[in-house]
Amino acid sequence: MKGWKDVPEERCGNCKHFYRHYGHTQRNRYYPLRFVHCTYPRPKNRWVEEYCPYWTDAHEEAPRDP
C-alpha cells in the first residue's frame, strides 16, 4: 500500500528473547512501552524497532528430543 513502510519481520519487537515493559496510568490502565529487554546472550536494553543478529522467531516451536 502506498505510504506504508515495509517493516522487516526480524526486529526486536517480535523476537523470542524480548520482554516488553508496560506503563500504568492513574485510571488503572496499562499501555505497552517501546523500551524492552533482550535476554540473549546477556540482558541488555533494546527498543522495539531495533534489529539484532540474535533474532529468533517468537512463534517458532522448540525442537523436541526423540
Side-chain angles (χ1 to χ4, degrees):
M1 183 188 252
K2 187 175 181 180
W4 287 84
K5 292 182 181 179
D6 290 334
V7 179
E9 195 69 26
E10 296 86 14
R11 57 190 178 92
C12 290
N14 57 8
C15 179
K16 179 170 125 178
H17 310 292
F18 152 90
Y19 291 93
R20 183 180 286 278
H21 292 274
Y22 290 87
H24 185 258
T25 67
Q26 292 178 352
R27 295 183 180 208
N28 294 325
R29 295 183 188 257
Y30 291 91
Y31 57 94
L33 301 175
R34 287 179 41 219
F35 180 74
V36 298
H37 276 113
C38 178
T39 59
Y40 186 82
R42 58 179 173 36
K44 57 195 163 293
N45 299 331
R46 292 280 190 222
W47 295 97
V48 174
E49 300 87 11
E50 282 189 55
Y51 302 98
C52 177
Y54 302 113
W55 183 86
T56 306
D57 188 7
H59 303 293
E60 181 179 291
E61 290 187 27
R64 295 182 183 179
D65 291 331

